Short mmCIF file of all heavy atoms in Angstrom, two decimals:
data_model
loop_
_atom_site.label_atom_id
_atom_site.label_comp_id
_atom_site.label_asym_id
_atom_site.label_seq_id
_atom_site.Cartn_x
_atom_site.Cartn_y
_atom_site.Cartn_z
N VAL A 1 2.81 -2.63 40.68
CA VAL A 1 3.73 -1.93 41.59
C VAL A 1 3.06 -0.69 42.17
O VAL A 1 3.16 -0.41 43.38
CB VAL A 1 5.03 -1.56 40.84
CG1 VAL A 1 5.87 -0.60 41.67
CG2 VAL A 1 5.83 -2.80 40.52
N VAL A 2 2.38 0.09 41.32
CA VAL A 2 1.73 1.31 41.80
C VAL A 2 0.57 0.98 42.75
O VAL A 2 0.36 1.68 43.75
CB VAL A 2 1.22 2.13 40.60
CG1 VAL A 2 0.44 3.35 41.08
CG2 VAL A 2 2.39 2.60 39.74
N MET A 3 -0.16 -0.09 42.47
CA MET A 3 -1.31 -0.43 43.29
C MET A 3 -0.91 -1.00 44.65
O MET A 3 -1.48 -0.63 45.69
CB MET A 3 -2.20 -1.45 42.56
CG MET A 3 -2.93 -0.89 41.35
SD MET A 3 -3.95 -2.13 40.54
CE MET A 3 -5.11 -2.51 41.85
N PHE A 4 0.09 -1.89 44.66
CA PHE A 4 0.44 -2.59 45.90
C PHE A 4 1.74 -2.09 46.53
O PHE A 4 2.09 -2.53 47.63
CB PHE A 4 0.56 -4.09 45.63
CG PHE A 4 -0.69 -4.69 45.06
CD1 PHE A 4 -0.76 -5.08 43.73
CD2 PHE A 4 -1.82 -4.84 45.85
CE1 PHE A 4 -1.91 -5.63 43.21
CE2 PHE A 4 -2.98 -5.39 45.33
CZ PHE A 4 -3.03 -5.78 44.01
N GLY A 5 2.44 -1.16 45.86
CA GLY A 5 3.68 -0.62 46.42
C GLY A 5 3.51 0.06 47.76
O GLY A 5 4.38 -0.10 48.65
N PRO A 6 2.44 0.83 47.99
CA PRO A 6 2.28 1.47 49.31
C PRO A 6 2.23 0.49 50.48
O PRO A 6 2.48 0.89 51.62
CB PRO A 6 0.95 2.23 49.17
CG PRO A 6 0.86 2.53 47.72
CD PRO A 6 1.45 1.34 47.03
N ALA A 7 1.93 -0.77 50.21
CA ALA A 7 1.91 -1.77 51.30
C ALA A 7 3.31 -1.98 51.87
O ALA A 7 3.45 -2.46 53.01
CB ALA A 7 1.34 -3.09 50.79
N LEU A 8 4.35 -1.62 51.12
CA LEU A 8 5.72 -1.76 51.62
C LEU A 8 6.01 -0.83 52.78
O LEU A 8 6.99 -1.03 53.50
CB LEU A 8 6.72 -1.49 50.49
CG LEU A 8 6.70 -2.47 49.30
CD1 LEU A 8 7.65 -1.99 48.21
CD2 LEU A 8 7.08 -3.87 49.75
N SER A 9 5.17 0.20 52.97
CA SER A 9 5.38 1.14 54.07
C SER A 9 5.28 0.48 55.43
O SER A 9 5.78 1.02 56.43
CB SER A 9 4.36 2.29 53.98
OG SER A 9 3.04 1.79 54.06
N PHE A 10 4.65 -0.72 55.51
CA PHE A 10 4.55 -1.43 56.78
C PHE A 10 5.85 -2.13 57.15
O PHE A 10 6.02 -2.53 58.30
CB PHE A 10 3.42 -2.47 56.71
CG PHE A 10 2.05 -1.86 56.57
CD1 PHE A 10 1.39 -1.89 55.35
CD2 PHE A 10 1.43 -1.23 57.64
CE1 PHE A 10 0.12 -1.34 55.21
CE2 PHE A 10 0.18 -0.66 57.50
CZ PHE A 10 -0.48 -0.72 56.29
N TRP A 11 6.75 -2.29 56.17
CA TRP A 11 7.99 -3.03 56.43
C TRP A 11 9.24 -2.15 56.37
O TRP A 11 10.27 -2.53 56.93
CB TRP A 11 8.12 -4.18 55.44
CG TRP A 11 7.14 -5.28 55.68
CD1 TRP A 11 7.24 -6.30 56.60
CD2 TRP A 11 5.89 -5.48 55.00
NE1 TRP A 11 6.13 -7.11 56.52
CE2 TRP A 11 5.29 -6.63 55.55
CE3 TRP A 11 5.23 -4.80 53.99
CZ2 TRP A 11 4.06 -7.12 55.13
CZ3 TRP A 11 3.99 -5.28 53.57
CH2 TRP A 11 3.42 -6.42 54.13
N VAL A 12 9.19 -1.03 55.68
CA VAL A 12 10.39 -0.19 55.56
C VAL A 12 10.56 0.65 56.82
O VAL A 12 9.59 0.91 57.55
CB VAL A 12 10.31 0.71 54.32
CG1 VAL A 12 10.24 -0.11 53.06
CG2 VAL A 12 9.13 1.67 54.43
N SER A 13 11.78 1.07 57.06
CA SER A 13 12.08 1.91 58.22
C SER A 13 12.02 3.38 57.83
O SER A 13 12.60 3.80 56.82
CB SER A 13 13.48 1.58 58.76
OG SER A 13 13.85 2.49 59.76
N GLN A 14 11.31 4.16 58.65
CA GLN A 14 11.21 5.59 58.39
C GLN A 14 12.49 6.34 58.76
O GLN A 14 12.58 7.54 58.57
CB GLN A 14 10.03 6.18 59.16
CG GLN A 14 8.68 5.67 58.67
CD GLN A 14 8.45 5.97 57.20
OE1 GLN A 14 8.80 7.04 56.70
NE2 GLN A 14 7.88 4.99 56.48
N HIS A 15 13.46 5.62 59.32
CA HIS A 15 14.76 6.21 59.64
C HIS A 15 15.78 5.98 58.53
O HIS A 15 16.95 6.34 58.67
CB HIS A 15 15.29 5.63 60.96
CG HIS A 15 14.38 5.86 62.13
ND1 HIS A 15 14.23 7.11 62.71
CD2 HIS A 15 13.56 5.01 62.80
CE1 HIS A 15 13.37 7.02 63.71
NE2 HIS A 15 12.94 5.76 63.79
N SER A 16 15.34 5.36 57.44
CA SER A 16 16.22 5.11 56.31
C SER A 16 16.57 6.42 55.61
O SER A 16 15.84 7.42 55.69
CB SER A 16 15.56 4.15 55.32
OG SER A 16 16.29 4.05 54.13
N VAL A 17 17.69 6.41 54.89
CA VAL A 17 18.11 7.61 54.16
C VAL A 17 17.14 7.93 53.03
O VAL A 17 17.01 9.09 52.61
CB VAL A 17 19.53 7.43 53.59
CG1 VAL A 17 20.55 7.35 54.70
CG2 VAL A 17 19.61 6.19 52.70
N PHE A 18 16.42 6.92 52.55
CA PHE A 18 15.47 7.15 51.46
C PHE A 18 14.14 7.71 51.96
O PHE A 18 13.26 8.01 51.16
CB PHE A 18 15.22 5.85 50.70
CG PHE A 18 16.44 5.28 50.04
CD1 PHE A 18 17.05 4.15 50.55
CD2 PHE A 18 16.98 5.90 48.92
CE1 PHE A 18 18.19 3.63 49.94
CE2 PHE A 18 18.12 5.39 48.31
CZ PHE A 18 18.72 4.26 48.82
N ALA A 19 13.99 7.84 53.28
CA ALA A 19 12.78 8.42 53.85
C ALA A 19 12.86 9.94 53.93
O ALA A 19 11.93 10.57 54.41
CB ALA A 19 12.52 7.84 55.23
N ARG A 20 13.95 10.50 53.44
CA ARG A 20 14.12 11.96 53.43
C ARG A 20 14.02 12.48 52.00
O ARG A 20 14.71 12.00 51.10
CB ARG A 20 15.48 12.36 54.03
CG ARG A 20 15.66 11.94 55.48
CD ARG A 20 16.83 12.68 56.10
NE ARG A 20 18.06 12.43 55.37
CZ ARG A 20 18.94 11.48 55.67
NH1 ARG A 20 18.72 10.68 56.70
NH2 ARG A 20 20.04 11.32 54.97
N ARG A 21 13.17 13.45 51.81
CA ARG A 21 12.98 14.04 50.48
C ARG A 21 14.22 14.76 49.99
O ARG A 21 14.35 15.04 48.80
CB ARG A 21 11.81 15.02 50.52
CG ARG A 21 10.45 14.36 50.37
CD ARG A 21 10.19 14.01 48.92
NE ARG A 21 8.82 13.56 48.69
CZ ARG A 21 8.33 13.30 47.50
NH1 ARG A 21 9.08 13.44 46.42
NH2 ARG A 21 7.09 12.89 47.36
N SER A 22 15.12 15.08 50.89
CA SER A 22 16.34 15.79 50.51
C SER A 22 17.45 14.85 50.07
O SER A 22 18.59 15.29 49.87
CB SER A 22 16.84 16.64 51.69
OG SER A 22 17.09 15.81 52.83
N HIS A 23 17.14 13.56 49.93
CA HIS A 23 18.16 12.60 49.51
C HIS A 23 18.71 12.96 48.13
O HIS A 23 18.01 13.51 47.28
CB HIS A 23 17.59 11.18 49.50
CG HIS A 23 18.62 10.12 49.33
ND1 HIS A 23 19.03 9.67 48.10
CD2 HIS A 23 19.35 9.43 50.24
CE1 HIS A 23 19.95 8.74 48.25
NE2 HIS A 23 20.16 8.56 49.54
N PHE A 24 19.98 12.60 47.91
CA PHE A 24 20.66 12.94 46.67
C PHE A 24 19.93 12.43 45.44
O PHE A 24 19.80 13.14 44.44
CB PHE A 24 22.09 12.37 46.71
CG PHE A 24 22.81 12.44 45.39
CD1 PHE A 24 23.35 13.64 44.95
CD2 PHE A 24 22.94 11.31 44.59
CE1 PHE A 24 24.01 13.70 43.73
CE2 PHE A 24 23.59 11.37 43.38
CZ PHE A 24 24.13 12.57 42.95
N LEU A 25 19.43 11.20 45.49
CA LEU A 25 18.76 10.63 44.31
C LEU A 25 17.50 11.40 43.95
O LEU A 25 17.21 11.60 42.77
CB LEU A 25 18.42 9.16 44.57
CG LEU A 25 19.60 8.18 44.59
CD1 LEU A 25 19.10 6.78 44.89
CD2 LEU A 25 20.35 8.20 43.27
N TYR A 26 16.75 11.83 44.96
CA TYR A 26 15.54 12.60 44.69
C TYR A 26 15.87 13.95 44.08
O TYR A 26 15.23 14.40 43.12
CB TYR A 26 14.73 12.79 45.97
CG TYR A 26 14.28 11.51 46.63
CD1 TYR A 26 14.35 11.34 48.00
CD2 TYR A 26 13.78 10.46 45.87
CE1 TYR A 26 13.94 10.17 48.61
CE2 TYR A 26 13.37 9.28 46.46
CZ TYR A 26 13.45 9.14 47.84
OH TYR A 26 13.04 7.97 48.43
N ARG A 27 16.88 14.60 44.64
CA ARG A 27 17.23 15.94 44.16
C ARG A 27 17.90 15.90 42.79
O ARG A 27 17.66 16.75 41.93
CB ARG A 27 18.15 16.64 45.16
CG ARG A 27 17.49 17.00 46.48
CD ARG A 27 18.41 17.79 47.39
NE ARG A 27 19.49 16.97 47.93
CZ ARG A 27 20.74 17.00 47.51
NH1 ARG A 27 21.10 17.83 46.53
NH2 ARG A 27 21.66 16.23 48.05
N MET A 28 18.73 14.88 42.56
CA MET A 28 19.53 14.83 41.34
C MET A 28 18.76 14.28 40.16
O MET A 28 18.91 14.76 39.03
CB MET A 28 20.78 13.98 41.59
CG MET A 28 21.75 13.93 40.43
SD MET A 28 22.53 15.55 40.17
CE MET A 28 23.57 15.18 38.74
#
């Protein structure tokens, strides 16, 4: 997962709520 996980950046949307460091899950 750690080695190949960054490859997911080609498919995820940068407009997703998880693309913000201020998201609740990250802060909490």
Side-chain angles (χ1 to χ4, degrees):
V1 169
V2 175
M3 290 180 63
F4 302 108
L8 296 175
S9 60
F10 294 105
W11 289 278
V12 298
S13 173
Q14 294 302 320
H15 301 288
S16 171
V17 293
F18 298 107
R20 298 195 302 266
R21 277 282 189 174
S22 59
H23 191 271
F24 169 78
L25 288 179
Y26 300 138
R27 291 185 289 104
M28 184 68 181

